[in-house]
Amino acid sequence: MEFIFIRHGQGEHLNDYPNRLNTPHLSFTEYGKFQVTSYENEIKIAMDVSLFKF
């Protein structure tokens, strides 16, 4: 079995740290959006949907 850990992109809560830590529903910073799209282009994972059947 293989485990892959993927960190999410930088969030807006880091722009005014620590004052925005409890603000709900923050989005990604522009840099965070860049990180996510670059991860998406670099990492291709074939999902076996049979693993999610109960």
Side-chain angles (χ1 to χ4, degrees):
M1 178 179 283
E2 182 179 60
F3 290 94
I4 299 172
F5 293 92
I6 301 173
R7 183 188 179 278
H8 62 79
Q10 182 185 55
E12 288 181 338
H13 66 281
L14 295 176
N15 284 342
D16 189 20
Y17 182 84
N19 298 324
R20 294 185 70 181
L21 287 178
N22 293 321
T23 306
H25 311 298
L26 292 173
S27 187
F28 291 125
T29 62
E30 288 302 315
Y31 182 65
K33 292 174 186 177
F34 166 76
Q35 289 175 309
V36 171
T37 55
S38 65
Y39 297 155
E40 182 180 42
N41 293 331
E42 290 182 30
I43 300 171
K44 301 295 180 199
I45 301 172
M47 297 294 290
D48 183 353
V49 292
S50 66
L51 295 174
F52 300 103
K53 293 182 181 174
F54 296 94

